[in-house]
Amino acid sequence: MSLFVVEYTYTPETSSLRDDHRTQHRGWVSELVRRKIVRSTGPLADGHGALFIVDAEDEDSLARVFAQDPFAQENLVAKVHIREWTPAMGEFSE
């Protein structure tokens, strides 16, 4: 498995719709955390996106997983950026 960083970018226009689907989104994320696929996640402080640290085989399989997010299925994510990450120090480097 490799570690990846997934970055969501949101637009202000979808804010109220994200509120409508937040419970389903958080349920989906919670299941990925339970399965140890998502190692850490949270919204960006400015409200314009979120970050996920994820264990996955490869970028393509990860993109398929994130396509199942209720936010993605409702077209509430303006951009998804997936990058493989090689932590050099700290908790995720061990």
Side-chain angles (χ1 to χ4, degrees):
M1 296 288 246
S2 297
L3 282 177
F4 290 83
V5 175
V6 178
E7 181 180 2
Y8 276 9
T9 302
Y10 302 136
T11 61
E13 295 79 24
T14 62
S15 179
S16 65
L17 291 171
R18 287 194 315 276
D19 289 344
D20 293 343
H21 296 280
R22 194 167 316 283
T23 299
Q24 296 90 339
H25 165 75
R26 286 188 176 161
W28 174 82
V29 172
S30 292
E31 176 60 17
L32 294 179
V33 169
R34 185 191 69 75
R35 293 171 44 203
K36 299 187 186 313
I37 294 169
V38 171
R39 302 275 302 277
S40 189
T41 188
L44 297 174
D46 65 6
H48 292 127
L51 289 177
F52 303 81
I53 297 174
V54 184
D55 263 322
E57 288 294 325
D58 56 55
E59 187 174 331
D60 290 337
S61 63
L62 184 55
R64 287 191 298 276
V65 168
F66 273 77
Q68 300 304 309
D69 182 350
F71 278 6
Q73 292 182 335
E74 294 294 328
N75 296 314
L76 302 177
V77 182
K79 183 177 178 187
V80 178
H81 194 100
I82 299 173
R83 293 172 278 194
E84 190 167 357
W85 180 45
T86 306
M89 290 187 258
E91 179 178 344
F92 296 105
S93 66
E94 301 169 355

